Amino acid sequence: KMENGEELVAIYDTLFEGVQNGRTEISFSVLDAIDGIKVTFSELYECVVFAFRYDNPQFFWWDFFPNYYTDNDGNITKVIVSYFEDVNTEKAKSDFKEAAEQFIIDAGIEEGMTEYEISFRLHDAVVNHIDYVLGADNDHNAYGALIGGEAVCEGYAELYQYLLYLCGIQSHAVTGYANGPH
């Protein structure tokens, strides 16, 4: 409903396509074609980057604090994305997907179960699989939670969201503040 909402969605879609394809420089040509529309730094982060981050736990390999470039009028025109080298490999991505699929089987998810039953079983399996460890490798993403078995709240949430996604259940991560961001 924002004045530049259409442009923000286009930037989100461009970011999705760029990260999915491993591009490190993602340009937003949509801004060149729309007169007078500006996307500020706070809109980029609050409306695009954080939404993208919490919508897409399957992209555990991207560093969600990208650098950005603006034109002379202050429009965001390009984002420079970096990736976590230790997990930005085809092997890590493949191992993660295979481990997630096996995790679902091991959790006892079967054809014909209700969304509630699936959600409940996956919840319990995730909680029983992960140790809360601040400072563990990849502790803030689904990869660290699944492969390493150690994570903080964000890693728990992202793994759970990804497993639900694989089971065809739509979910959204919710963030908040309780003695710090969570």
Side-chain angles (χ1 to χ4, degrees):
K1 297 195 181 223
M2 297 172 67
E3 180 182 345
N4 60 351
E6 187 176 315
E7 290 72 31
L8 293 170
V9 170
I11 290 171
Y12 180 104
D13 292 343
T14 303
L15 183 61
F16 184 95
E17 187 270 332
V19 170
Q20 184 176 38
N21 291 310
R23 293 203 330 257
T24 55
E25 289 192 16
I26 302 170
S27 298
F28 302 113
S29 59
V30 66
L31 298 177
D32 300 332
I34 301 171
D35 237 3
I37 297 296
K38 289 188 178 198
V39 174
T40 65
F41 173 80
S42 69
E43 288 172 331
L44 174 70
Y45 274 88
E46 294 168 17
C47 299
V48 177
V49 172
F50 283 108
F52 179 83
R53 166 93 169 127
Y54 294 114
D55 286 350
N56 298 289
Q58 72 272 24
F59 296 136
F60 55 84
W61 59 87
W62 87 294
D63 182 352
F64 62 95
F65 292 110
N67 292 314
Y68 67 96
Y69 290 93
T70 62
D71 63 17
N72 291 335
D73 295 325
N75 291 318
I76 302 292
T77 58
K78 185 189 314 184
V79 170
I80 306 299
V81 179
S82 59
Y83 301 103
F84 300 118
E85 290 182 24
D86 59 331
V87 293
N88 186 27
T89 66
E90 290 308 312
K91 178 167 179 20
K93 293 172 188 177
S94 174
D95 289 350
F96 176 75
K97 182 144 195 234
E98 288 175 20
E101 291 167 348
Q102 187 61 51
F103 190 91
I104 290 168
I105 292 167
D106 293 345
I109 305 304
E110 299 173 356
E111 194 75 34
M113 293 176 81
T114 67
E115 286 187 359
Y116 176 80
E117 291 168 326
I118 293 169
S119 301
F120 190 81
R121 283 212 184 164
L122 287 177
H123 167 273
D124 287 354
V126 166
V127 169
N128 290 325
H129 175 75
I130 303 169
D131 290 323
Y132 189 95
V133 178
L134 181 61
D137 289 341
N138 295 294
D139 62 350
H140 286 269
N141 64 41
Y143 185 89
L146 180 62
I147 302 299
E150 298 178 331
V152 295
C153 54
E154 189 173 22
Y156 279 82
E158 289 191 9
L159 176 58
Y160 184 59
Q161 182 183 18
Y162 181 67
L163 295 168
L164 290 171
Y165 164 79
L166 289 178
C167 291
I169 299 173
Q170 185 178 19
S171 66
H172 301 280
V174 177
T175 62
Y177 193 87
N179 297 324
H182 291 279

